[in-house]
């Protein structure tokens, strides 16, 4: 999936981090043609949001299901087979070899598997407390290599990691980056943030954006501004 093949508007993934299906549908309606790609995570999925995947897909939208699966291989495979029928485009799994392998083998032709290397809320102490000998950077690099070898389609990473991960996986995997903040917007609880233009310049293929769009006074204008910001980086 060469980065240049993705139209600028399809690179913006708006996180539907809202409390109900009704709120999500109202936001999708308001965003109209400005947004083509949505992310559904734990909050909405467990508030009855899973059927929204099919509904959005039927409207021609793409959906990233951020369920971060991790279980024994057989259980992951059976789950992924069903998710593949939902119309989702991206699904996240934790970057453990058995989990990634099972997800890749069960994904079918239309679903792409993204691996979460190390959660961005983990620092060196957290990784050590979880029992790992490697530090964060080495663990991310090892898991990126394993994801590549196992045929995973992409990685979720912070934009700061994008340039380094590009060196490891070249263009074979797409890079999907949350923690995006247009200049002037509040960082909230995100600590490692980057503007849309800088993230794309650093090698990000897709930008996951939640609050800067969802909580904007005019979400449609906020989404349009992000697409306008990344366009010059892509043509230069
Ligand atoms: O509101 P904000 O733009 O910070 O939302 C970012 C979205 O990306 C949230 O849905 C969050 O769960 C998700 N995410 C993240 N960091 C990761 C993985 C996913 O912020 N490492």
């Amino acid at each position: 999936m060469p980065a240049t093949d993705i139209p600028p508007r399809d690179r913006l993934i708006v996180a539907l981090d809202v409390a109900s299906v009704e709120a999500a549908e109202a936001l999708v309606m308001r965003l109209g043609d400005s947004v083509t790609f949505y992310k559904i995570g734990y909050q909405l999925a467990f508030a009855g949001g899973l059927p929204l995947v099919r509904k959005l897909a039927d409207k021609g939208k793409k959906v990233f299901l951020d369920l971060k699966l991790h279980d024994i291989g057989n259980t992951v495979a059976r789950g992924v087979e069903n998710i593949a029928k939902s119309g989702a485009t991206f699904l996240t799994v934790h970057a453990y070899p058995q989990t990634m392998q099972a997800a890749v083998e069960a994904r079918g032709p239309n679903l792409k598997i993204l691996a979460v290397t190390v959660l961005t809320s983990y620092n060196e102490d957290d990784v050590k407390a979880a029992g790992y000998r490697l530090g964060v950077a080495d663990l991310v690099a090892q898991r990126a290599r394993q994801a590549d070898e196992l045929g995973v389609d992409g990685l979720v990473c912070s934009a700061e990691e994008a340039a380094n991960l590009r060196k490891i996986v070249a263009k074979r995997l797409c890079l999907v980056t949350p923690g995006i903040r247009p200049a002037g917007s509040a960082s909230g609880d995100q600590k490692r943030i980057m503007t849309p233009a800088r993230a794309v310049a650093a090698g990000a293929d897709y930008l996951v954006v939640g609050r800067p769009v969802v909580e904007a006074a005019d979400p449609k204008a906020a989404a349009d501004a992000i697409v306008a910001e990344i366009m010059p980086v892509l043509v230069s």
Side-chain angles (χ1 to χ4, degrees):
M1 195 190 302
T4 45
D5 286 357
I6 313 164
R9 196 164 292 281
D10 291 356
R11 291 168 181 266
L12 169 64
I13 303 179
V14 171
L16 287 173
D17 292 334
V18 293
S20 68
V21 174
E22 293 71 32
E25 288 185 316
L27 181 61
V28 169
M29 184 83 85
R30 208 166 163 198
L31 289 168
D33 293 339
S34 292
V35 174
T36 60
F37 215 145
Y38 287 99
K39 180 172 93 72
I40 294 179
Y42 284 4
Q43 185 184 13
L44 186 58
F46 300 133
L50 285 176
L52 198 56
V53 178
R54 171 56 58 201
K55 266 187 154 177
L56 288 171
D58 287 348
K59 281 189 192 167
K61 305 293 184 189
K62 290 185 184 169
V63 182
F64 166 8
L65 252 186
D66 191 12
L67 297 182
K68 298 187 177 73
L69 301 186
H70 182 43
D71 207 314
I72 60 169
N74 182 62
T75 302
V76 169
R78 299 292 87 78
V80 170
E81 279 167 11
N82 282 336
I83 289 168
K85 293 179 206 153
S86 72
T89 296
F90 285 159
L91 168 71
T92 41
V93 302
H94 282 285
Y96 287 76
Q98 283 185 15
T99 296
M100 292 190 286
Q101 184 167 4
V104 164
E105 285 173 7
R107 74 190 189 284
N110 300 318
L111 180 66
K112 294 194 186 310
I113 303 298
L114 305 180
V116 179
T117 52
V118 176
L119 291 169
T120 46
S121 59
Y122 276 50
N123 63 19
E124 302 296 336
D125 289 342
D126 297 315
V127 165
K128 203 170 163 195
Y132 294 98
R133 275 181 293 111
L134 295 180
V136 173
D138 288 338
L139 193 53
V140 167
Q142 174 176 307
R143 289 179 166 177
R145 274 186 221 105
Q146 288 170 336
D148 191 14
E149 280 161 19
L150 290 166
V152 164
D153 302 290
L155 300 171
V156 179
C157 61
S158 78
E160 284 173 7
E161 290 166 349
N164 198 37
L165 285 174
R166 269 279 170 253
K167 285 186 209 144
I168 296 173
V169 303
K171 295 270 171 86
R172 294 184 293 278
L173 275 75
C174 69
L175 300 180
V176 180
T177 60
I180 300 299
R181 290 293 178 270
S185 63
S187 57
D189 56 355
Q190 296 281 17
K191 293 186 185 124
R192 292 182 286 151
I193 57 175
M194 216 179 255
T195 64
R198 282 192 52 221
V200 169
D205 295 310
Y206 294 92
L207 310 177
V208 177
V209 185
R211 287 162 289 183
V213 169
V214 174
E215 294 178 1
D218 184 344
K220 193 173 168 66
D224 288 340
I226 292 169
V227 176
E229 182 180 327
I230 62 174
M231 221 167 293
V233 185
L234 293 165
V235 293
S236 62

